[in-house]
Amino acid sequence: MREHRGTLKAVETMVLPIVVGVDGSEPSLHAVDWAVDEAVRHGVPLRVVHASLWERYEGAALADTPDVASDAVTGHDLAESVVAGAAWRAGLRAPTLEISTGVVPEDPVSALLREALRASAVVTGVRGRGPIRELLLGSVSLSLAARAPCPVVVVRGRTQNSQAATGRIVLGVGTGVTAPATVRYAFREAAVRACEIEAVRAWRRPAHRTAPHPLPDGATHAEEVAAAALLDEALDGVAQEYPGVTVHRALVEGSARHALVTRSSAGDLLIIGARRPRGHLGPQLGLVGHTVLHHSDCPVAVVSQQE
């Protein structure tokens, strides 16, 4: 019995790696770069994973490529070269970083969801290799963001926004009180990056109230006051744990989707929570989540939060 307890303690204190999913595409290599920098910031290992059944999920685009034989798409050699090339790239970027690799004979969602159980975060590129990759967010990234138990980062947007150049993290505070796990993730990221947080809460007047007469100067709508209270409630407890992190609180009248996408242009990372209602198999992204994952100008982190 003592030996069993010791084993549990070892598991509990194990440093969880950042996992990055690769498929050989350019977006996945950008994800490797981002994941390397993130692992270095947090002092954790990096794990590079390739699911060898990736093309069944994203489409058979490579099979139609003239210089790639169709029987090589799922071949062991190709899978090994994909993961080895990504690991080599990671090693060049951070020579002292601890890097492990894995080729998993599964579809990418199943493989990366399994990896997510033992990861501090899972990182993917914005699109995969499918034939409509220029139009839509990769189905792998979208599925992971909706279902993973750990934070999922989709590396997308403009190059300068993925290189921690703006010095700002954007945190979306949603309906109700955003879970402490999501807020704490934002503060932890801001602390290791030595940057500030812009916490955004959108609000709307009820549709039936058109307010034909504007409010006097200095007056506020009841909905705006309630939004400010929710923002304070979400932030204050965690903010006390990170006194060195500067927080700017933004109340925006209108669409949360529009507010977050607009502010993403000035951010290094956009963080939102994904609700996980009790009894459901995975988090629910909602319209805001889908919008920012498709249109953000910076990488997006989705953090699961239990209801």
Side-chain angles (χ1 to χ4, degrees):
M1 182 63 70
R2 290 180 181 177
E3 181 179 352
H4 180 63
R5 284 199 297 268
T7 301
L8 288 177
K9 183 177 181 180
V11 172
E12 291 169 356
T13 57
M14 180 176 61
V15 176
L16 296 177
I18 289 175
V19 172
V20 58
V22 297
D23 65 355
S25 67
E26 193 65 23
S28 81
L29 294 180
H30 292 320
V32 169
D33 293 343
W34 194 95
V36 167
D37 294 345
E38 184 75 351
V40 170
R41 290 187 195 104
H42 288 276
V44 300
L46 177 71
R47 179 162 170 76
V48 181
V49 175
H50 173 67
S52 60
L53 301 185
W54 198 292
E55 73 288 342
R56 291 187 184 179
Y57 208 90
E58 291 285 8
L62 288 188
D64 297 327
T65 303
D67 58 349
V68 178
S70 61
D71 59 353
V73 173
T74 59
H76 178 76
D77 290 343
L78 178 59
E80 290 291 344
S81 68
V82 166
V83 78
W88 177 77
R89 182 183 178 110
L92 287 180
R93 194 172 183 90
T96 62
L97 179 63
E98 179 184 341
I99 302 170
S100 63
T101 62
V103 174
V104 184
E106 291 184 282
D107 70 86
V109 172
S110 298
L112 293 176
L113 284 177
R114 191 186 308 277
E115 293 285 339
L117 296 174
R118 303 178 302 277
S120 58
V122 172
V123 181
T124 72
V126 64
R127 288 183 288 265
R129 305 181 308 195
I132 56 174
R133 59 188 180 276
E134 295 305 321
L135 299 178
L136 297 175
L137 182 76
S139 52
V140 172
S141 299
L142 195 60
S143 296
L144 284 173
R147 297 166 59 189
C150 70
V152 172
V153 179
V154 178
V155 180
R156 61 157 297 116
R158 302 179 303 186
T159 300
Q160 62 267 33
N161 292 85
S162 64
Q163 296 177 342
T166 72
R168 173 169 294 195
I169 285 174
V170 179
L171 170 64
V173 177
T175 302
V177 177
T178 296
T182 304
V183 178
R184 188 167 285 108
Y185 180 82
F187 273 87
R188 188 165 58 246
E189 285 296 317
V192 299
R193 294 163 179 258
C195 71
E196 62 187 22
I197 293 175
E198 181 180 29
V200 180
R201 172 76 174 117
W203 63 277
R204 289 179 183 272
R205 284 173 287 184
H208 65 273
R209 179 148 41 93
T210 58
H213 303 291
L215 292 176
D217 290 342
T220 56
H221 293 278
E223 293 77 21
E224 183 178 5
V225 173
L230 286 172
L231 193 56
D232 291 342
E233 186 177 354
L235 296 174
D236 287 347
V238 179
Q240 294 176 5
E241 302 173 19
Y242 296 87
V245 174
T246 299
V247 183
H248 302 281
R249 306 179 187 216
L251 295 172
V252 182
E253 182 179 7
S255 162
R257 293 172 288 155
H258 177 74
L260 293 176
V261 169
T262 299
R263 281 161 170 75
S264 70
S265 63
D268 295 328
L269 182 65
L270 170 59
I271 300 172
I272 61 171
R275 295 178 297 153
R276 175 175 286 178
R278 297 186 185 279
H280 287 249
L281 295 178
Q284 309 299 304
L285 282 180
L287 192 55
V288 172
H290 279 266
T291 300
V292 300
L293 283 170
H294 281 89
H295 300 290
S296 172
D297 285 323
C298 69
V300 177
V302 180
V303 182
S304 174
Q305 52 188 46
Q306 185 75 52
E307 288 189 344

